[in-house]
Amino acid sequence: NAGVMQNPRHLVRRRGQEARLRCSPMKGHSHVYWYRQLPEEGLKFMVYLQKENIIDESGMPKERFSAEFPKEGPSILRIQQVVRGDSAAYFCASSQGVYNSPLHFGNGTRLTVT
Amino acid sequence: AQKVTQAQTEISVVEKEDVTLDCVYETRDTTYYLFWYKQPPSGELVFLIRRNSFDEQNEISGRYSWNFQKSTSSFNFTITASQVVDSAVYFCGRTSGSRLTFGEGTQLTVNP
């Protein structure tokens, strides 16, 4: 009974490189959410996706960040030209999409930008 | 923005003490859900409870209990007879539609 799977668990990138974070939702879940947790801070909503659609990206930075959830395969959060301020834990969550159903979180990807 | 406020940034107790974590939220919605999640030192997020805005019954699960007061927009979490393994950051959250908004979290440290 696999939960939400995120990989990699840890990711180190140099400034200017690209970071790709992957998330496979729980079986039967078609809704994916990405949250960011900066060091010593709480969880901030970034984006909500359904298969092939971005539903709400109001929490995404306007530049360098993008997300997708293709028909086949995991959801991808992509950060281009990373900067030190992007260092954070990025959590993916999934739900069945039933109104207000619980979000089940993955273990997160810890991105470190050197 | 409709906020979720966890006024206690850090709480430190001695094992076996009871401890209450406060959560106050803002909302303009008539229907919403409230959540608590636990983030132990290992970093994952563990779902604890979901409560519908129409259900104001208090809930107890083992040493955990939750007090939902709609009149004061509060959803407080009490751990009875705390244990060292309860040490974690606890996040309260509120939904608005499909989005879950979290408070800043309360760091609970239970000392032996």
Side-chain angles (χ1 to χ4, degrees):
Chain A
N1 181 23
V4 178
M5 303 299 292
Q6 287 189 251
N7 67 82
R9 190 73 191 268
H10 300 275
L11 181 62
V12 180
R13 285 286 178 267
R14 290 201 181 100
R15 278 182 300 170
Q17 291 185 320
E18 178 180 287
R20 280 181 178 248
L21 287 62
R22 293 174 183 76
C23 170
S24 296
M26 280 182 73
K27 189 175 180 181
H29 288 188
S30 58
H31 297 244
V32 165
Y33 308 76
W34 286 94
Y35 283 78
R36 177 165 67 173
Q37 185 176 30
L38 292 167
E40 308 301 325
E41 292 191 14
L43 293 144
K44 306 297 183 190
F45 169 81
M46 299 182 75
V47 63
Y48 162 42
L49 310 103
Q50 294 178 26
K51 286 281 186 181
E52 300 185 282
N53 282 307
I54 297 175
I55 306 303
D56 180 354
E57 58 180 347
S58 57
M60 287 277 271
K62 294 285 186 283
E63 296 176 350
R64 303 187 296 106
F65 284 72
S66 62
E68 62 176 10
F69 188 18
K71 189 176 179 181
E72 302 291 337
S75 175
I76 306 287
L77 178 67
R78 183 180 175 208
I79 311 172
Q80 295 178 289
Q81 299 175 324
V82 295
V83 301
R84 288 225 171 101
D86 297 332
S87 295
Y90 292 83
F91 287 93
C92 170
S94 72
S95 75
Q96 292 178 323
V98 175
Y99 181 74
N100 287 320
S101 57
L103 271 61
H104 295 270
F105 283 86
N107 287 335
T109 293
R110 273 113 188 119
L111 172 66
T112 302
V113 179
T114 61
Chain B
Q2 299 175 63
K3 290 169 38 178
V4 177
T5 301
Q6 294 180 251
Q8 305 144 309
T9 306
E10 295 181 22
I11 300 176
S12 183
V13 299
V14 177
E15 207 170 17
K16 296 184 184 174
E17 283 185 23
D18 298 348
V19 58
T20 295
L21 283 60
D22 297 333
C23 175
V24 175
Y25 60 92
E26 299 172 1
T27 185
R28 292 185 286 272
D29 299 325
T30 53
T31 302
Y32 52 90
Y33 282 78
L34 300 165
F35 293 81
W36 276 93
Y37 284 81
K38 173 182 179 180
Q39 187 175 40
S42 50
E44 71 271 24
L45 284 159
V46 179
F47 168 75
L48 295 178
I49 189 171
R50 175 178 77 149
R51 175 48 52 92
N52 183 313
S53 57
F54 290 109
D55 180 5
E56 290 194 65
Q57 270 196 321
N58 291 332
E59 180 156 342
I60 298 174
S61 175
R63 296 184 297 105
Y64 295 171
S65 62
W66 290 269
N67 183 311
F68 177 29
Q69 299 278 345
K70 201 168 181 179
S71 59
T72 56
S73 297
S74 67
F75 187 44
N76 296 336
F77 173 32
T78 297
I79 302 174
T80 303
S82 59
Q83 300 176 1
V84 172
V85 294
D86 296 327
S87 296
V89 180
Y90 290 85
F91 291 99
C92 174
R94 183 219 74 236
T95 59
S96 179
S98 55
R99 180 197 287 215
L100 174 56
T101 298
F102 288 97
E104 293 298 311
T106 297
Q107 170 72 60
L108 172 66
T109 302
V110 181
N111 297 299

